[in-house]
Amino acid sequence: MRYYDLSPKQLEDKAYELLIEFDKERLHKTKPIDVYAVIEKCLDVPYDWKYLTPDQSILGATAFSGGLLWVWPESKYYEGLLPYQIEVEPGTILIDTTLTEQDNRGRENFTVMHEVFHQVLHKKCFRTMPKNYVHPTASRTIDGQVRYASYALAMIEKQANACAAAFLMPADLTKNTYKHLYRAAGYNRYNYGFVYNTIKEMAEEFSVSQQAMSIRLQTLGLIDENKENLLK
């Protein structure tokens, strides 16, 4: 397996390019998003929903080469429950069905965009993998806890996360929204209540999870719980 050594700026640029292609208005304005429309308009690959594991340890997958994939008939394991095989076309994106069954739209949006950027960035990285290889995305990866024995695989997952975050939370729009709320609140020192409420409010506005918004604000240097002052 190979990976491309892309800088944070290059990853931001990749997300920017896809935003321009999909809906450039989203660079400057928050609005509802249908992430599956991104697949349809910008990728033209199949997508589907399946129970990928009976414990939700895998939230998404991309079948770069197509072939057969084991999936489950239900979301919870019980004695006697067995997986079954489906055939998927090359390029197919699969999303765990449980993300559509719960009030978890922010997590679903991030998972879908994570898989989208695997398609944008990483198709050539998996060329040497055997037929029927389907690349899974662990739930811990979506949570930002990227732990893999392979350094190349860890970098690939971090890149997909970074681009998904940059697409759903564009840098300039996120910064401007945060700073507007900061100035309106009138705080000049770190205030945990303000940070918590701001993360919650912005997560709803950008249609992402609170965890994703918190990580994005830290990445952009807007919040840092190790510092006494809010970063301006």
Side-chain angles (χ1 to χ4, degrees):
M1 182 185 301
R2 60 181 297 184
Y3 75 97
Y4 302 101
D5 189 11
L6 301 173
S7 70
K9 183 181 184 306
Q10 288 175 310
L11 295 172
E12 290 279 340
D13 288 345
K14 289 290 185 182
Y16 179 88
E17 291 169 7
L18 194 67
L19 269 170
I20 292 293
E21 180 181 354
F22 176 65
D23 182 359
K24 63 181 180 181
E25 189 178 22
R26 296 188 60 83
L27 288 167
H28 311 290
K29 177 183 178 181
T30 55
K31 53 196 295 192
I33 185 170
D34 178 359
V35 288
Y36 299 101
V38 181
I39 300 175
E40 294 170 0
K41 181 176 181 179
C42 303
L43 298 184
D44 191 29
V45 298
Y47 62 90
D48 202 353
W49 301 267
K50 297 291 181 183
Y51 294 116
L52 301 178
T53 57
D55 61 0
Q56 292 75 61
S57 58
I58 302 297
L59 294 182
T62 297
F64 286 107
S65 62
L68 298 175
L69 172 69
W70 289 99
V71 296
W72 293 79
E74 297 183 33
S75 61
K76 299 294 183 183
Y77 179 77
Y78 56 83
E79 188 174 355
L81 185 70
L82 296 173
Y84 63 97
Q85 280 188 313
I86 61 170
E87 187 169 357
V88 291
E89 299 176 35
T92 300
I93 290 175
L94 293 161
I95 301 299
D96 192 75
T97 304
T98 59
L99 289 175
T100 70
E101 297 174 336
Q102 306 166 8
D103 184 18
N104 221 350
R105 189 58 185 269
R107 193 167 173 82
E108 180 182 2
N109 287 347
F110 197 93
T111 302
V112 172
M113 292 312 304
H114 180 101
E115 300 303 328
V116 164
F117 280 103
H118 275 322
Q119 294 276 4
V120 172
L121 299 173
H122 301 134
K123 284 189 287 188
K124 293 182 179 179
C125 297
F126 295 95
R127 284 186 303 181
T128 60
M129 301 303 289
K131 183 175 174 57
N132 290 344
Y133 175 75
V134 177
H135 179 67
T137 296
S139 57
R140 67 173 185 272
T141 296
I142 298 300
D143 291 334
Q145 303 170 30
V146 182
R147 303 192 197 99
Y148 289 90
S150 163
Y151 180 77
L153 190 53
M155 291 302 298
I156 283 170
E157 296 300 340
K158 287 179 179 179
Q159 289 172 359
N161 270 359
C163 284
F167 182 94
L168 293 168
M169 298 165 279
D172 288 345
L173 180 58
T174 303
K175 289 177 182 178
N176 290 338
T177 302
Y178 178 86
K179 290 178 180 179
H180 171 76
L181 293 172
Y182 177 79
R183 288 192 295 267
Y187 291 111
N188 59 11
R189 298 180 70 80
Y190 205 91
N191 182 290
Y192 287 98
F194 167 77
V195 171
Y196 175 81
N197 291 330
T198 297
I199 289 171
K200 183 178 180 181
E201 180 177 345
M202 289 183 64
E204 292 176 358
E205 186 171 352
F206 284 78
S207 299
V208 298
S209 68
Q210 293 182 38
Q211 183 175 34
M213 179 56 69
S214 176
I215 293 172
R216 182 63 168 159
L217 292 175
Q218 291 178 62
T219 300
L220 293 173
L222 294 166
I223 64 173
D224 186 343
E225 294 187 3
N226 294 320
K227 291 183 180 294
E228 187 176 82
N229 295 329
L230 283 166
L231 303 179
K232 300 183 182 180

